[in-house]
Amino acid sequence: MDVSLCWRPPAWTVGEKRMRTAPTLRRLLSALTLLHVMVQVNSQKRGALRDLKCTTNNLQVWDCAWKAPLGAGHGTVNEVCIDDRLHSCYPLEKGNVKIPALPPGDHEVIVNYLHGFNGSSAKFILNEQNVSLIPNTPEILTLSADFSTSTLYLTWDDRSCAFAHHSKVTWEIKVLRTPRMELINLVTFNTTLNGRDTVHYWRWTSDLPLQCATHYVGIRCYLDHLHFAGPKEWSAWSPLMNISWAPESEAKAFPQDKVVLVGSNITFCCVSQTKVLSGQIGKTFYPLIHLYGQNVAIHIQNISVSENSGTNVVFMIEDNVCGTVVFAGYPPDVPQKLNCETHDLKDIICNWNPGRPTGLVGPRNTNYTLLDSFSGKSVTFKRFETLTNESYQLLFQMPPHQEIYNLTLTARNPLGQSESAILVNITERVCPHTPTSLKVKDINSTVVTLSWHLPGNFARINLVCQIEIWKPNSKQELQNITIKGVENSSYLVVVDKLNPYTTYTFRIRCSTEPFWKWSKWSSGKRHLTTEAIPSKGPDTWREWSSDGRNLIIYWKPLPISEANGKILSYNVSCSSHEEVQSMSEILDPQHRAELQLVKDDYIISVVAKNSAGPSPPSRIASMEIPNDDLTVEQAVGLGKKIRLSWPPDPNVTCDYVIKWCNSSRSEPCLMDWKKVPSNSTEAVIESDQFRPGVRYNFFLYGCRSQGYQLLRSIIGYIEELAPIVAPNFTVEDTSADSILVRWEDIPVEELRGFLRGYLFYFQKGERDTPKMRSLETGHSDIKVKNITDTSQKTLRIADLQGKTSYRLVLRAYTDGGLGPEKSMFVVTKENSVGLIIAILIPVAVAVIVGVVTSTLCYRKREWIKETFYPDIPNPENCKALQFQKSVCEGSNALKTLEMNPCTPNDVEVLETRSIIPKIEDTEIISPVAERPEEISEAEPENHVVVSYCPPIIEEEIANPAADDAGGTSQVVYIDVQSMCQPQARPEDEQDIDPIVGAGYKPQMRLPINSAVEETAAENDADSTAGYRPQANVNTWNLVSPDSPRSTDSNSEIVSFGSPCSVNSRQFLIPPKDDDSPKSNGGAWSFTNFFQNKPND
Amino acid sequence: MDLRAGDSWGMLACLCTVLWHLPAVPALNRTGDPGPGPSIQKTYDLTRYLEHQLRSLAGTYLNYLGPPFNEPDFNPPRLGADTLPRATVNLEVWQSLNDKLRLTQNYEAYSHLLCYLRALNRQAATAELRRSLAHFCTSLQGLLGSIAGVMAALGYPLPQPLPGTELTWAPGPAHSDFLQKMDDFWLLKELQTWLWRSAKDFNRLKKKMQPPAAAVTLHLEAHGF
């Protein structure tokens, strides 16, 4: 605001004086001017208006207020004058002044001071643009709440702004909530003023139930007046109004029984006087949000669909519980597949699929309303419980004479609604009920009437009904009929072209025109049509009896389609040119009659009769025209059929008859017959009686006016099989190199096919040979002859060996296979030259062999003896095995000989002796001896290697050098006492007893010899110890194992000289008397393998 | 609360056997008026059978109510179920009751409980639950008839329903679903307690009415109850 203040009278004075004074006074004037300016400035400071503010709330009056200048109170101002044309002044009221609204433009306002300033005034420029438009504070008329929906309802009017017509007003509403009076919601709301006092409504739904906390509401407004140039400001807030819930004594949870959309966020609270311990939804516990007092809340985000009885929200309180149930579900889906049709044109049935389940049941279940917009009628579908999809259907009663319906199905639940519509012409949507009460009535044997009941009023439309006619052993037949609909629901149609005496099953279903749907089939109705006379006479044939006197008439029972009823009897009559002879009736099960005829030229007629009457007669001539030119042919069938063909015969005028019989039957032979038309040239005969492997005779007759003539005779098989027997055959003649065989025919019954030939096998063989080779294996020694000439009955087999047994086999075969075999053994006659040669040659060979052998044996007798029968030492003397078990027990080194397989080793006899005549027995050389590198060093000049078993004796004392060089290949004998004496000592006293020492004894049990041996050992060590007999010298001379003396010897003389002591370190070789004749090494070299035997 | 589902078919067969034998047995052993003994036995057996049937029903129904009602340790205070007849009674008080009073209390209690059960059936939202409830209501109706029979046999008059009682006993005016569920929960609980109590009552009465030693009655053990 442009405000200025002037001090006018002095200004005028200063101006006039300057005009009149001389220039010399200019300096004085300048000084005065400066003084004036100073005063002016000083006076302005003292009278200036501070914080001047002008507002208006109705555009009529401006209300200006300011703070008084420094040093002056309001009481010093008496009026405010506006410098306009009227120069109107307004008294100042309480520090502000109300000025009527001024026109646009600047206006000078003068404030006249009454006191203190000596009539001075202040003035300022006032413009509309400097005035603020602040509407009056609006007032809330009412504030109410719907606690069940947590909705606040607010009303107010626009009285405070009513002056500003057609102006826009913006209202701002704030909602606060305890305990912290936080701002929950702030909304703006625009209206336009219309000059009248209008009441405005606003509602707001709280996310927190209103019961849970006190809610406050305030309002203010903003007036947007188009023609006001000054600034516009919000009004002040109205006084707050609140909504609160009067808590009950019992704790309660809110919101109660609320239905919400699945996935929404929701807050539950518990208003309680006591402390709430926990809050849960279903099974899930949620953190408590404390509101005020003991009130708490829990907040759930994205709630899931509820179970049938809703989701329980439970708050556990110290001594109580409070809870509520929330129902989370979906709004109803759009009803799908809405389909409306009628069964009877009385009611419309609409069914639909509800689509997605809403999750809401019971009172919140979806209800459906079906409304026809043309008639305005509606029906409602309301179910409490959950339903299957098929159950959603509504029955809508049709108003009379209305055909077209615009049906709208609306689904509603607490969360919303949806709808689906259909426009139908109901006469095109008729699915009739199932026809009932189906009845059949005979008109005649081929025509019946069907009547049924079809509920509904179809008088305005046509029905199309389908009749299913079914008879046994045939395909069902469908007949469509169109009938005019009637009101009384009874319908009747005629069904014709039926067969007489046939059981039919009828059923019916109906639809309408135009076709929409078939009804269900009615239940079937069986009906037997009445009988009619047989349509044909029976199929007849005649056979002359074997004596030619009687004619036997055969006929086949009529098929049911031709009998037209139950055949009761047959009438057979015969007639010639002169007379008609009638026969009496023949009752049904019999289908043949025998006539005694004096002539052979009759016409026989057979008539079948049922209750409706006789059939047309079937006639057959009795005469048989002879045929001289008759051949017998063969035929083989295929499967169960046999095909016969013949050339066309113009003489045949009536028909052909093929009769057949089993060839093995006697005359008159007739199994069956078949008639074929006279223009046929072939027939396929098929019968269940045909059996494979059975020969049948087929006879083809041609019918001429005067009778039948046999045209062809055929023998045939349905299927050929192999013969079941072999032909009987005999040997007619035998020579040294040939055999003549003769066989017989196989009977027809056993042949089972057309004979194609014989197979004749022969081979050498004896009757008693346990197993002859199979004929099929095709061995080279089996010869086969194939006889394809079936008339051949003999066969000569040549080029045989004399005096040899032959096996002959004969088999017959057909196209069905080979028959069984029959065999016979025949011995050809003897050939004498061969026999003589056969005896002489072996004898000569045997003599020559004997002579040569004898000569050789004589010449080599010495070698033979040495090789096969050398002298054998007696193993009984082998005392080396007589260890005392107890003495050497536990010593692995002192084991008795084991009979395990062993590797022969060498014994090198190092001592050079001139008298060892038999030791050249080098055949039994150990493989070890063949290893030159092992024996080379230790080998003396004349050593002899002898097989020795086993080689575990090591040289320790006698020849350390040899041990090093030769390994185990050398045998060294050590002192017995030095090795075993400590163990042997306890036994020594016993062993001293000479009686005890009988038989085998361990080698250390020799106290007598010990001293001798000791010295002997020393001596041995000195002299190169070659092989020596293992016996004590003393005993050696007395006894040897093989000696007869030793066999029962129990003397004190002990023998321990066996070279077979294997694992022991026994001293085997005595020190002296090496050259005893009995210690001949060659004597035991072979028998050492049997060393244990005497001890056994 | 131990409410477990069991083999209801087996129990039904057992009950049928019991019921089949009941009329025959006294006739075998006694001549003339059999007295109230058989009908007390029958009522006792029916009570045990209902106890078993309730176990199955309660399992289904509490699952329908949803958690935490079907949780075994849920034991809320009795809210809003004050109109239900209480079965619990001090032992001394119970012992001081005479037969007539006991039977009358039983009869009245089951009359009330049956009303509640029927209302429950009307509100059930699944067909299976409705079938189960209807079956149980039929059985409970049978028990009421049996008790009436026993009272008639003993010469006690049936309690007369006061005018308007049916209305007051019906479940109260629409209160919240949660309170309704609490009522249902307590109804099942009270039913179970009442059946326990009745079994005890009838057993006591049965022993009291037992004929002298000369007259033998067949005691059928209903296994599994």
Side-chain angles (χ1 to χ4, degrees):
Chain A
M1 188 184 290
D2 183 17
V3 178
S4 67
L5 194 68
C6 56
W7 197 253
R8 276 174 291 180
W12 285 103
T13 312
V14 171
E16 287 171 9
K17 210 179 233 182
R18 195 177 56 179
M19 301 280 286
R20 295 171 195 160
T21 54
T24 55
L25 291 175
R26 280 187 185 173
R27 287 179 184 164
L28 181 62
L29 283 174
S30 299
L32 284 173
T33 305
L34 182 63
L35 178 66
H36 173 75
V37 168
M38 292 298 288
V39 170
Q40 190 88 345
V41 168
N42 197 26
S43 71
Q44 277 188 349
K45 270 185 184 173
R46 287 169 62 207
L49 301 177
R50 292 184 292 135
D51 299 336
L52 176 66
K53 184 175 172 69
C54 288
T55 62
T56 178
N57 55 21
N58 56 10
L59 302 179
Q60 305 293 319
V61 177
W62 296 356
D63 187 355
C64 293
W66 62 87
K67 287 183 180 170
L70 292 172
H74 277 287
T76 59
V77 179
N78 65 346
E79 61 178 4
V80 175
C81 297
I82 297 162
D83 187 17
D84 56 4
R85 286 173 300 172
L86 299 173
H87 196 76
S88 47
C89 291
Y90 304 94
L92 196 66
E93 298 169 359
K94 296 178 186 174
N96 63 336
V97 61
K98 288 190 178 356
I99 305 165
L102 298 175
D106 289 347
H107 301 274
E108 193 172 67
V109 179
I110 301 160
V111 181
N112 293 322
Y113 289 90
L114 190 63
H115 306 294
F117 288 95
N118 298 323
S120 65
S121 63
K123 63 180 177 182
F124 55 91
I125 302 300
L126 187 60
N127 193 320
E128 192 184 66
Q129 291 176 347
N130 304 127
V131 179
S132 298
L133 175 59
I134 302 175
N136 282 334
T137 304
E139 272 183 35
I140 293 172
L141 291 179
T142 59
L143 175 67
S144 60
D146 180 357
F147 286 101
S148 64
T149 57
S150 297
T151 308
L152 286 175
Y153 296 93
L154 179 72
T155 59
W156 72 98
D157 60 14
D158 52 13
R159 197 183 306 161
S160 57
C161 306
F163 60 92
H165 296 177
H166 309 297
S167 293
K168 289 179 181 172
V169 185
T170 302
W171 306 92
E172 193 166 61
I173 304 159
K174 66 177 178 182
V175 181
L176 310 175
R177 181 184 291 162
T178 52
R180 292 187 294 275
M181 295 297 281
E182 59 188 318
L183 182 67
I184 302 301
N185 197 16
L186 183 71
V187 291
T188 54
F189 183 81
N190 290 317
T191 62
T192 303
L193 298 172
N194 58 7
R196 290 190 300 273
D197 188 9
T198 309
V199 176
H200 300 288
Y201 300 92
W202 178 76
R203 80 175 174 185
W204 171 74
T205 303
S206 169
D207 57 339
L208 181 75
L210 296 179
Q211 296 93 334
C212 305
T214 306
H215 288 74
Y216 296 86
V217 180
I219 188 169
R220 64 177 182 173
C221 63
Y222 174 91
L223 185 62
D224 184 17
H225 196 277
L226 289 175
H227 307 297
F228 183 71
K232 296 143 191 167
E233 293 182 23
W234 282 101
S235 73
W237 284 104
S238 70
L240 291 174
M241 287 185 81
N242 70 66
I243 286 289
S244 62
W245 172 259
E248 296 168 6
S249 57
E250 280 194 358
K252 221 165 181 184
F254 299 99
Q256 298 249 316
D257 311 335
K258 192 169 184 180
V259 183
V260 296
L261 188 67
V262 170
S264 51
N265 304 333
I266 183 167
T267 306
F268 297 93
C269 73
C270 176
V271 179
S272 169
Q273 307 291 336
T274 49
K275 190 179 179 188
V276 179
L277 302 176
S278 66
Q280 68 185 102
I281 294 186
K283 286 180 176 173
T284 314
F285 286 86
Y286 283 81
L288 294 176
I289 304 162
H290 289 276
L291 299 173
Y292 71 97
Q294 301 295 344
N295 293 5
V296 292
I298 53 176
H299 184 70
I300 294 98
Q301 290 188 318
N302 194 12
I303 193 167
S304 53
V305 68
S306 297
E307 294 298 321
N308 284 335
S309 70
T311 306
N312 303 317
V313 180
V314 179
F315 292 92
M316 302 304 292
I317 310 171
E318 275 176 345
D319 56 348
N320 205 344
V321 63
C322 78
T324 180
V325 182
V326 63
F327 300 89
Y330 296 97
D333 205 353
V334 175
Q336 294 158 11
K337 299 178 185 170
L338 175 64
N339 179 33
C340 295
E341 62 185 23
T342 179
H343 293 313
D344 49 13
L345 284 176
K346 290 177 179 170
D347 296 308
I348 297 175
I349 294 172
C350 291
N351 49 39
W352 66 93
N353 187 331
R356 178 188 61 188
T358 60
L360 303 174
V361 293
R364 296 155 204 89
N365 209 351
T366 310
N367 62 9
Y368 293 90
T369 307
L370 185 69
L371 170 75
D372 172 38
S373 60
F374 294 152
S375 63
K377 284 178 69 176
S378 68
V379 285
T380 302
F381 176 92
K382 174 73 182 170
R383 296 288 184 277
F384 208 68
E385 69 272 11
T386 50
L387 297 169
T388 57
N389 278 359
E390 292 71 33
S391 315
Y392 288 88
Q393 65 172 32
L394 265 173
L395 199 73
F396 186 87
Q397 210 166 10
M398 287 169 59
H401 309 302
Q402 184 179 343
E403 290 185 356
I404 297 173
Y405 295 84
N406 185 14
L407 296 161
T408 305
L409 182 73
T410 308
R412 285 188 192 87
N413 77 358
L415 291 174
Q417 69 175 52
S418 61
E419 63 180 37
S420 184
I422 186 172
L423 180 72
V424 289
N425 180 350
I426 204 64
T427 58
E428 296 173 357
R429 299 285 187 99
V430 183
C431 174
H433 285 294
T434 307
T436 55
S437 311
L438 180 64
K439 288 177 186 150
V440 188
K441 263 189 169 177
D442 286 311
I443 291 179
N444 58 39
S445 60
T446 59
V447 182
V448 296
T449 58
L450 291 183
S451 63
W452 67 93
H453 183 81
L454 186 67
N457 179 7
F458 301 109
R460 284 175 284 163
I461 56 173
N462 285 337
L463 291 175
V464 177
C465 292
Q466 198 167 48
I467 303 167
E468 186 190 79
I469 304 164
W470 181 82
K471 60 180 178 180
N473 305 321
S474 79
K475 208 177 157 188
Q476 71 220 33
E477 183 191 336
L478 290 173
Q479 282 187 13
N480 282 349
I481 49 164
T482 303
I483 45 178
K484 182 114 185 69
V486 294
E487 272 185 53
N488 64 2
S489 310
S490 293
Y491 298 88
L492 180 82
V493 293
V494 174
V495 181
D496 56 2
K497 296 177 187 165
L498 301 176
N499 293 330
Y501 197 62
T502 306
T503 303
Y504 286 94
T505 303
F506 300 95
R507 56 179 193 159
I508 193 161
R509 64 178 179 178
C510 292
S511 68
T512 54
E513 274 186 341
F515 178 78
W516 170 243
K517 276 179 185 174
W518 284 113
S519 70
K520 287 182 181 169
W521 283 106
S522 70
S523 53
K525 182 79 180 171
R526 280 164 63 91
H527 182 75
L528 177 66
T529 50
T530 53
E531 291 190 13
I533 57 166
S535 56
K536 277 171 69 179
D539 185 4
T540 52
W541 182 243
R542 83 288 176 280
E543 283 285 315
W544 284 97
S545 61
S546 50
D547 58 2
R549 288 183 194 165
N550 291 350
L551 186 70
I552 306 165
I553 310 292
Y554 300 93
W555 61 90
K556 294 180 185 175
L558 283 168
I560 191 74
S561 59
E562 292 170 353
N564 290 345
K566 181 173 169 48
I567 298 298
L568 303 172
S569 63
Y570 299 93
N571 270 359
V572 181
S573 59
C574 60
S575 60
S576 65
H577 299 296
E578 297 87 23
E579 56 175 339
V580 174
Q581 186 183 349
S582 184
M583 292 285 296
S584 60
E585 279 190 356
I586 293 167
L587 294 178
D588 173 52
Q590 192 178 338
H591 296 118
R592 70 193 285 275
E594 197 162 345
L595 305 178
Q596 232 176 3
L597 299 176
V598 286
K599 295 194 294 181
D600 62 351
D601 185 15
Y602 283 95
I603 298 294
I604 317 295
S605 65
V606 181
V607 171
K609 286 170 73 178
N610 64 13
S611 64
S615 70
S618 35
R619 296 190 171 86
I620 188 166
S622 64
M623 196 170 82
E624 183 145 349
I625 304 160
N627 187 356
D628 301 330
D629 182 22
L630 194 65
T631 56
V632 177
E633 297 163 30
Q634 290 185 350
V636 178
L638 198 70
K640 281 199 164 185
K641 301 172 183 174
I642 188 162
R643 181 186 294 274
L644 305 175
S645 60
W646 56 89
D649 187 347
N651 296 327
V652 174
T653 53
C654 329
D655 49 21
Y656 288 102
V657 172
I658 300 150
K659 73 154 194 174
W660 62 90
C661 68
N662 190 327
S663 67
S664 58
R665 299 270 175 84
S666 59
E667 291 290 329
C669 168
L670 179 68
M671 275 173 69
D672 202 354
W673 70 91
K674 182 179 182 179
K675 286 185 177 172
V676 290
S678 57
N679 55 0
S680 303
T681 58
E682 66 167 19
V684 175
I685 312 295
E686 189 176 3
S687 169
D688 288 339
Q689 296 173 315
F690 286 147
R691 298 283 176 265
V694 176
R695 180 178 288 188
Y696 296 100
N697 291 338
F698 297 88
F699 302 98
L700 176 71
Y701 290 90
C703 169
R704 302 181 184 188
S705 56
Q706 62 270 43
Y708 283 94
Q709 183 181 29
L710 180 61
L711 301 177
R712 296 170 90 98
S713 175
I714 300 140
I715 55 171
Y717 290 89
I718 286 302
E719 185 188 348
E720 286 186 272
L721 299 178
I724 51 168
V725 295
N728 281 325
F729 72 102
T730 54
V731 175
E732 292 256 307
D733 180 33
T734 312
S735 68
D737 61 349
S738 69
I739 299 168
L740 179 64
V741 177
R742 176 178 295 277
W743 60 88
E744 297 168 4
D745 281 335
I746 299 174
V748 168
E749 291 82 9
E750 291 165 337
L751 196 57
R752 304 204 299 171
F754 296 113
L755 181 67
R756 299 299 179 201
Y758 299 94
L759 285 178
F760 195 89
Y761 307 85
F762 59 99
Q763 70 175 124
K764 286 179 187 174
E766 296 291 335
R767 184 183 299 275
D768 299 332
T769 307
K771 191 177 179 185
M772 292 300 292
R773 282 173 179 166
S774 172
L775 296 174
E776 279 76 14
T777 50
H779 290 286
S780 58
D781 58 340
I782 300 173
K783 290 175 182 161
V784 185
K785 280 185 188 292
N786 185 4
I787 302 140
T788 53
D789 179 8
T790 54
S791 60
Q792 187 179 335
K793 293 288 179 267
T794 58
L795 178 69
R796 176 171 292 281
I797 311 159
D799 300 330
L800 301 178
Q801 292 176 1
K803 191 69 177 172
T804 306
S805 174
Y806 282 93
R807 180 179 176 236
L808 310 179
V809 176
L810 185 62
R811 307 171 80 177
Y813 63 91
T814 66
D815 284 345
L818 275 169
E821 62 187 54
K822 179 162 274 188
S823 64
M824 179 182 285
F825 289 88
V826 177
V827 180
T828 50
K829 287 184 177 169
E830 193 172 356
N831 188 341
S832 54
V833 177
L835 182 66
I836 292 165
I837 291 169
I839 292 169
L840 283 183
I841 289 173
V843 168
V845 170
V847 168
I848 290 164
V849 169
V851 169
V852 170
T853 309
S854 305
T855 311
L856 285 174
C857 288
Y858 178 74
R859 286 198 173 181
K860 293 285 180 180
R861 62 186 181 278
E862 288 298 319
W863 174 82
I864 289 169
K865 185 177 185 301
E866 288 299 324
T867 306
F868 296 106
Y869 193 66
D871 290 338
I872 299 168
N874 190 354
E876 281 184 359
N877 297 331
C878 188
K879 296 293 183 182
L881 300 174
Q882 293 177 353
F883 287 103
Q884 271 193 351
K885 201 177 179 185
S886 59
V887 173
C888 295
E889 212 166 41
S891 169
N892 288 335
L894 296 174
K895 286 181 183 171
T896 53
L897 179 69
E898 292 175 5
M899 276 306 287
N900 294 334
C902 55
T903 309
N905 210 330
D906 302 341
V907 172
E908 293 181 13
V909 180
L910 300 177
E911 190 178 356
T912 307
R913 286 193 295 181
S914 57
I915 44 168
I916 306 173
K918 299 297 180 186
I919 295 187
E920 69 269 20
D921 183 7
T922 56
E923 291 165 11
I924 312 168
I925 293 172
S926 161
V928 180
E930 291 173 7
R931 299 192 308 216
E933 68 277 8
E934 287 186 4
I935 58 171
S936 58
E937 286 182 31
E939 193 175 22
E941 288 177 16
N942 295 327
H943 84 280
V944 177
V945 179
V946 183
S947 173
Y948 184 77
C949 172
I952 310 172
I953 300 160
E954 294 175 6
E955 182 180 0
E956 290 182 354
I957 302 165
N959 194 358
D963 191 24
D964 293 337
T968 59
S969 61
Q970 291 188 357
V971 179
V972 175
Y973 306 102
I974 61 171
D975 189 351
V976 172
Q977 284 175 328
S978 67
M979 296 299 291
C980 292
Q981 210 165 17
Q983 291 97 340
R985 201 166 287 153
E987 303 280 333
D988 281 350
E989 288 173 11
Q990 251 185 330
D991 293 342
I992 288 167
D993 184 1
I995 301 164
V996 178
Y1000 172 78
K1001 289 177 184 172
Q1003 291 164 334
M1004 74 277 277
R1005 288 178 57 226
L1006 297 171
I1008 304 163
N1009 300 328
S1010 60
V1012 181
E1013 285 166 6
E1014 208 166 334
T1015 53
E1018 286 164 6
N1019 294 340
D1020 251 11
D1022 294 335
S1023 61
T1024 310
Y1027 173 73
R1028 295 169 194 178
Q1030 294 169 336
N1032 189 327
V1033 172
N1034 298 332
T1035 58
W1036 190 269
N1037 290 329
L1038 296 171
V1039 66
S1040 80
D1042 288 337
S1043 156
R1045 287 184 296 168
S1046 69
T1047 51
D1048 56 351
S1049 167
N1050 52 2
S1051 67
E1052 54 197 353
I1053 300 158
V1054 288
S1055 170
F1056 61 97
S1058 168
C1060 304
S1061 176
V1062 283
N1063 288 334
S1064 71
R1065 293 168 181 270
Q1066 195 54 270
F1067 185 52
L1068 295 177
I1069 301 175
K1072 49 190 177 181
D1073 206 0
D1074 286 344
D1075 49 356
S1076 163
K1078 290 189 179 179
S1079 65
N1080 187 334
W1084 51 267
S1085 64
F1086 196 77
T1087 58
N1088 58 2
F1089 294 107
F1090 311 104
Q1091 57 186 310
N1092 283 348
K1093 279 197 173 173
N1095 292 334
D1096 288 342
Chain B
M1 199 160 89
D2 184 23
L3 294 168
R4 283 176 301 170
D7 185 2
S8 59
W9 285 110
M11 300 314 303
L12 189 63
C14 194
L15 177 73
C16 290
T17 316
V18 167
L19 294 177
W20 177 259
H21 282 92
L22 280 171
V25 171
L28 284 172
N29 301 296
R30 298 179 66 176
T31 53
D33 180 21
S39 58
I40 295 169
Q41 178 67 43
K42 193 175 82 174
T43 314
Y44 171 77
D45 292 335
L46 190 55
T47 312
R48 304 304 302 269
Y49 169 62
L50 272 167
E51 261 186 72
H52 165 78
Q53 204 182 341
L54 180 65
R55 257 178 245 143
S56 161
L57 173 70
T60 314
Y61 200 83
L62 292 181
N63 279 334
Y64 165 73
L65 293 183
F69 291 98
N70 57 355
E71 285 167 6
D73 54 348
F74 183 64
N75 192 16
R78 192 167 156 137
L79 292 182
D82 293 332
T83 49
L84 283 172
R86 284 178 188 265
T88 44
V89 64
N90 184 287
L91 182 66
E92 285 177 11
V93 174
W94 182 73
Q95 282 171 339
S96 69
L97 297 174
N98 59 24
D99 294 338
K100 181 185 174 187
L101 213 50
R102 268 200 207 103
L103 285 169
T104 307
Q105 283 193 356
N106 270 287
Y107 187 86
E108 284 175 345
Y110 288 120
S111 305
H112 299 182
L113 291 168
L114 187 59
C115 286
Y116 278 98
L117 268 177
R118 284 183 173 148
L120 212 65
N121 191 17
R122 284 192 289 273
Q123 292 161 3
T126 66
E128 187 206 347
L129 204 55
R130 284 186 171 204
R131 273 196 299 276
S132 301
L133 281 165
H135 184 213
F136 191 82
C137 284
T138 313
S139 303
L140 199 61
Q141 182 74 56
L143 181 64
L144 259 181
S146 293
I147 297 172
V150 172
M151 291 178 78
L154 292 172
Y156 303 144
L158 276 185
Q160 291 297 316
L162 294 168
T165 318
E166 288 290 325
L167 289 175
T168 53
W169 286 342
H175 47 230
S176 76
D177 277 23
F178 184 77
L179 288 181
Q180 183 62 53
K181 283 186 175 190
M182 293 285 274
D183 282 0
D184 297 351
F185 179 86
W186 273 102
L187 170 64
L188 294 172
K189 210 164 177 175
E190 280 299 345
L191 251 176
Q192 190 179 51
T193 323
W194 266 110
L195 288 168
W196 285 341
R197 178 176 164 180
S198 300
K200 217 168 169 182
D201 286 349
F202 298 136
N203 200 32
R204 191 185 170 99
L205 193 63
K206 188 175 67 177
K207 282 178 184 166
K208 203 171 173 182
M209 295 293 158
Q210 207 128 39
V216 182
T217 53
L218 178 66
H219 181 70
L220 281 171
E221 290 275 344
H223 295 286
F225 281 110

